Amino acid sequence: MKTMETIRETLPDKKGHFGQFGGRFVPETLMPAILELEEAYEEAKKDPAFTQEIERYLKDYVGRETPLTFAKRLTEEFGGPQIYLKREDLNHTGAHKINNALGQALLTQRMGKKKVVAETGAGQHGVATATVCALLDLECIVFMGKEDVRRQKLNVFRMELLGAQVISVDQGKGTLKDAVNEALRYWVANVEDTHYIIGSVVGPHPFPKIVRDFQSVIGKETKEQFEALKHKLPDAIVACVGGGSNAMGIFAPFVNEASVKLYGAEAAGKGIDTGEHAATLTAGKVGVLHGMMSYLLQDEAGQITEPYSISAGMDYPGIGPEHSYLKDMKRVTYEGITDQEALEGLQLLSRKEGIIPALETAHAIAYAQKIAKRMKPDESLIICLSGRGDKDVETVRERIGGQADE
Amino acid sequence: MSKTTLEQAFQKTLDQGDKIFVPYIMAGDGGLDVLPERIQFLEEAGATALELGIPFSDPVADGPTIQEAGLRALEEKVTLRKVLRKLKETKHDRTIPIILMTYMNPIYAYKIEDFINESVDSGVDGLIIPDLPMEEEDRITRYLSDKEIALIRLAALTSPIERLKKIAEKTEGFLYAVTVKGTTGAQVEFAETVGEYIKELKAMSSKPVLAGFGVSTPEQVRQLSQYGDGVVVGSKIVSSFYEEKRGEIVDLINASKK
């Protein structure tokens, strides 16, 4: 049962609230589907056959468990704690996203639905969803902002190779937030035969809980692996936070372990004071978007503002409601990391450990370097290496090359 | 004006043997200055009450026509605060009841309590919040209990009968029967079951039942009004104003008259 047990059964509460956050702010047309999903999920969780099926796919198809790698040269470079990397980059499709996509696709089958809709920003969640839909013979429709389609042509083609239909979203500014809006609208119109596989710990209840639970396999493995190695708990864990699913996944089994410090790296883009960032928890205000109450980037009148980050996966104006709660409870410390710092983090890990991380993940590496300065050599810091950087090589080349040319 | 004003206006229309007609317009589409004149036009054309949309950056319940009208209003820098101010200034120039349609976030950003008080002062009679199902509505109702503003609930084609009963019981002003599985906007044809659904709601509700979402021709106004007490027409009114085809609006409203 290890992939399905949730560490804190008490949160969210029955109405899907994490304190004041979360909830179900959706049109009435969707409410029955959301209630059905909640029921189906709670039932599935108790069914050992469902749990075993997920575990089998995670092992035989995704390639879990992923290693916990001791980063010797990065440890030396930082000159502080022992650095470990939880290698979600080694999953099939190259990131943690598939943990959730797989779980929800199996849930879709269980609910007797044949069609899946998803949103994607850079395309990682879209590719993961298209992948599991091919595997499980589900029809797959992915909404992607027009601007993102243009920037991520290869991922669009990947999804199409996998048999998915990619729909370019023209509404709004044509980015991730607009893709979520269109996916929600599509779901409203097709709710009876379609499941919405949301890509992060966001959206209306029960999505933040379901996605956290499916991703918490990251934290559970980490806990067991570190225990086997060191016979104790790690001292600190750091993860990047866009919507927040890899962070929630690795944090979940540690939230009640008070001795383990938890850190989340947000995208500070060109700097918080430039206004061009995606640092929702640092610079946002509480509000309601995409079915949830959470911290959001918005103006005085409550209009959602466009986020910016070099990394498309961090480029979201909201954040999972549980993160908002953990921030207000002061259980997790969140800090903004700029594009520049992330680029340096990416190069550092590439050269020191031979691992090119995703730009999202690079935010966690840059933050780890800051945290390491405050830690001692007999302590340990785990970085959630949420994804590999193949998809970002072109972006990075443009940025680094551009600077070298100046 | 008040909750009572709204109910009286509905009753008056029904007593005349007409059906209720509630047009929707996007506040600030074309600028806020044109708002009082548009309200007056709709009042004179015979609308029973007016649903006034507040622009929002992420309107998930709306189709393309209203999304685009919202974006135009946002380009005019229209905010909920400015709309309420305009309504307050022109409060004595109108008798038609005003129902605000706004997503939750602009209200929350305003501060819920301040928004309610300011709405009362501005002569707002009713409130429709499309992303506030009954599971979350206590965040608003706790401030509304002693206020004369009707919180209008939406029923959906997908809602099971037990939910419909609860929604019908709770609603104030009227019951908004959403007639499509989808967003607002023009609809070619309604499902055959829509008539039965509206009749079912009519049997459950002590308040008038109005059909809305996708009603866009005089024929549809007549067709959908016959099952309940009238209709809400949104996207079509929005595009008629935008294209300066006001004759279409008159035709739609006239279709609700006996």
Side-chain angles (χ1 to χ4, degrees):
Chain A
M1 293 284 288
K2 66 180 172 185
T3 56
M4 298 297 291
E5 57 185 48
T6 53
I7 292 302
R8 290 164 315 126
E9 283 295 344
T10 53
L11 278 182
D13 67 15
K14 280 212 166 63
K15 294 176 93 179
H17 295 144
F18 303 88
Q20 68 164 321
F21 302 107
R24 292 172 281 209
F25 295 88
V26 293
E28 173 62 20
T29 305
L30 284 184
M31 274 309 301
I34 281 173
L35 294 170
E36 179 200 3
L37 173 62
E38 187 181 353
E39 201 179 311
Y41 175 64
E42 294 304 328
E43 220 178 72
K45 236 166 73 165
K46 292 187 198 112
D47 178 359
F50 182 72
T51 309
Q52 281 159 15
E53 195 179 15
I54 288 190
E55 285 182 357
R56 183 168 61 79
Y57 277 116
L58 285 177
K59 179 172 176 286
D60 300 343
Y61 186 74
V62 177
R64 303 201 72 96
E65 64 179 28
T66 60
L68 183 69
T69 307
F70 174 60
K72 182 167 173 288
R73 296 192 64 218
L74 200 63
T75 298
E76 285 164 12
E77 172 74 20
F78 287 176
Q82 309 293 303
I83 307 291
Y84 291 85
L85 309 170
K86 178 58 177 167
R87 302 291 304 279
E88 293 302 298
D89 60 317
L90 294 178
N91 285 325
H92 179 42
T93 70
H96 68 290
K97 291 288 184 191
I98 199 160
N99 300 331
N100 167 52
L102 174 71
Q104 285 205 54
L106 288 168
L107 205 52
T108 305
Q109 275 193 330
R110 199 181 161 93
M111 288 188 291
K113 294 186 173 182
K114 300 259 181 261
K115 226 159 87 181
V116 157
V117 60
E119 85 294 339
T120 198
Q124 293 311 104
H125 173 59
V127 169
T129 304
T131 299
V132 294
C133 284
L135 176 71
L136 300 174
D137 192 20
L138 296 166
E139 189 183 333
C140 179
I141 297 161
V142 180
F143 285 92
M144 188 168 182
K146 191 174 86 176
E147 188 51 28
D148 289 332
V149 167
R150 191 187 60 76
R151 287 190 292 201
Q152 299 286 343
K153 286 200 190 74
L154 265 183
N155 267 344
V156 174
F157 186 60
R158 270 191 194 106
M159 288 183 265
E160 287 170 350
L161 270 180
L162 291 159
Q165 184 191 352
V166 181
I167 299 177
S168 172
V169 177
D170 224 349
Q171 273 86 356
K173 300 242 164 61
T175 58
L176 177 58
K177 135 184 127 73
D178 307 299
V180 176
N181 290 339
E182 271 310 282
L184 280 168
R185 289 184 188 115
Y186 181 90
W187 198 31
V188 169
N190 297 276
V191 63
E192 277 154 340
D193 66 350
T194 305
H195 175 61
Y196 180 16
I197 301 193
I198 208 161
S200 190
V201 285
V202 299
H205 176 66
F207 284 111
K209 175 185 177 165
I210 291 180
V211 180
R212 174 198 69 194
D213 290 356
F214 285 139
Q215 290 293 1
S216 65
V217 64
I218 306 171
K220 279 167 202 150
E221 285 179 8
T222 303
K223 204 172 187 180
E224 286 170 12
Q225 289 166 321
F226 195 82
E227 168 69 32
L229 258 149
K230 298 279 177 183
H231 313 294
K232 61 175 185 179
L233 289 165
D235 296 288
I237 299 172
V238 58
C240 65
V241 185
S245 69
N246 87 86
M248 228 32 260
I250 197 164
F251 290 169
F254 294 97
V255 165
N256 282 346
E257 306 284 3
S259 71
V260 184
K261 294 200 171 75
L262 303 174
Y263 298 94
E266 292 198 292
K270 296 178 182 172
I272 302 285
D273 50 359
T274 65
E276 291 192 62
H277 60 77
T280 315
L281 289 172
T282 309
K285 280 182 307 196
V286 178
V288 175
L289 177 71
H290 296 153
M292 63 181 172
M293 180 169 280
S294 199
Y295 279 93
L296 307 172
L297 296 177
Q298 54 181 315
D299 67 14
E300 289 295 313
Q303 306 299 342
I304 307 305
T305 51
E306 280 295 325
Y308 163 81
S309 166
I310 188 174
S311 148
M314 306 286 271
D315 209 350
Y316 182 65
I319 187 145
E322 194 165 9
H323 284 292
S324 292
Y325 176 76
L326 292 171
K327 174 200 155 80
D328 280 7
M329 296 297 286
K330 298 192 179 359
R331 176 63 188 97
V332 181
T333 307
Y334 298 89
E335 203 176 305
I337 296 297
T338 64
D339 286 357
Q340 190 54 39
E341 290 170 322
L343 279 167
E344 284 161 18
L346 181 139
Q347 294 169 78
L348 188 66
L349 192 73
S350 302
R351 287 183 198 150
K352 294 291 175 190
E353 298 292 339
I355 300 168
I356 302 175
L359 271 169
E360 292 83 0
T361 314
H363 288 73
I365 293 153
Y367 193 19
Q369 189 162 18
K370 296 184 180 187
I371 297 160
K373 292 200 169 77
R374 312 193 283 263
M375 294 178 71
K376 296 191 291 277
D378 62 344
E379 291 179 316
S380 51
L381 170 63
I382 297 174
I383 303 172
C384 187
L385 206 85
S386 55
R388 66 175 185 228
D390 306 36
K391 69 183 175 63
D392 295 319
V393 168
E394 185 63 28
T395 310
V396 175
R397 190 184 64 82
E398 279 169 24
R399 281 293 294 262
I400 299 175
Q403 281 155 4
D405 292 343
E406 276 168 26
Chain B
M1 298 212 229
S2 62
K3 211 185 285 193
T4 327
T5 320
L6 191 60
E7 281 165 10
Q8 283 168 353
F10 289 156
Q11 200 50 54
K12 193 177 152 206
T13 302
L14 295 174
D15 287 348
Q16 288 168 353
D18 295 335
K19 292 295 184 176
I20 297 165
F21 189 98
V22 178
Y24 168 102
I25 60 173
M26 173 61 75
D29 184 14
L32 266 185
D33 290 341
V34 306
L35 181 61
E37 187 272 321
R38 286 188 180 179
I39 295 177
Q40 198 187 349
F41 173 80
L42 292 167
E43 184 171 336
E44 283 167 6
T48 318
L50 171 69
E51 185 184 341
L52 188 59
I54 303 298
F56 180 49
S57 50
D58 296 84
V60 291
D62 287 305
T65 306
I66 293 180
Q67 285 175 41
E68 281 155 26
L71 288 177
R72 290 195 295 269
L74 289 176
E75 274 163 28
E76 301 272 352
K77 309 262 182 252
V78 171
T79 64
L80 178 53
R81 200 171 291 276
K82 287 183 191 168
V83 173
L84 287 177
R85 201 180 301 145
K86 190 55 109 183
L87 287 175
K88 199 173 180 176
E89 282 167 21
T90 54
K91 194 162 132 180
H92 303 291
D93 305 340
R94 62 173 185 268
T95 55
I96 188 170
I98 302 284
I99 299 158
L100 284 190
M101 185 288 203
T102 173
Y103 289 86
M104 189 62 187
N105 201 49
I107 302 180
Y108 196 80
Y110 202 112
K111 199 161 174 282
I112 296 171
E113 200 173 359
D114 295 350
F115 162 74
I116 301 284
N117 290 333
E118 203 51 38
S119 294
V120 171
D121 287 351
S122 307
V124 170
D125 307 283
L127 193 54
I128 297 173
I129 309 173
D131 57 349
L132 191 75
M134 57 183 167
E135 279 76 5
E136 299 291 343
E137 68 177 30
D138 66 321
R139 305 206 192 218
I140 292 278
T141 51
R142 69 176 79 148
Y143 300 106
L144 278 177
S145 54
D146 61 339
K147 297 288 190 294
E148 277 289 306
I149 292 184
L151 182 62
I152 293 143
R153 271 74 163 186
L154 297 102
L157 284 167
T158 52
S159 318
I161 195 104
E162 286 313 309
R163 280 186 76 83
L164 290 177
K165 279 184 188 159
K166 276 190 207 161
I167 293 167
E169 201 175 291
K170 279 166 172 269
T171 199
E172 299 167 338
F174 71 90
L175 178 60
Y176 196 136
V178 175
T179 46
V180 295
K181 284 173 213 149
T183 51
T184 59
Q187 195 77 13
V188 184
E189 222 174 305
F190 287 93
E192 279 172 32
T193 49
V194 164
E196 282 309 306
Y197 156 78
I198 299 171
K199 279 191 228 164
E200 210 167 27
L201 290 174
K202 182 75 189 129
M204 287 175 193
S205 175
S206 62
K207 301 289 189 310
V209 176
L210 304 191
F213 280 38
V215 187
S216 56
T217 66
E219 292 69 40
Q220 287 171 335
V221 170
R222 275 186 285 270
Q223 182 204 344
L224 288 168
S225 289
Q226 64 176 334
Y227 310 114
D229 300 296
V231 290
V232 180
V233 181
S235 297
K236 186 64 200 173
I237 303 275
V238 168
S239 61
S240 297
F241 268 121
Y242 184 60
E243 294 162 9
E244 286 296 338
K245 290 181 184 162
R246 294 193 179 198
E248 291 179 348
I249 300 174
V250 174
D251 292 345
L252 285 163
I253 297 179
N254 284 339
S256 69
K257 308 294 177 198
K258 68 177 171 195

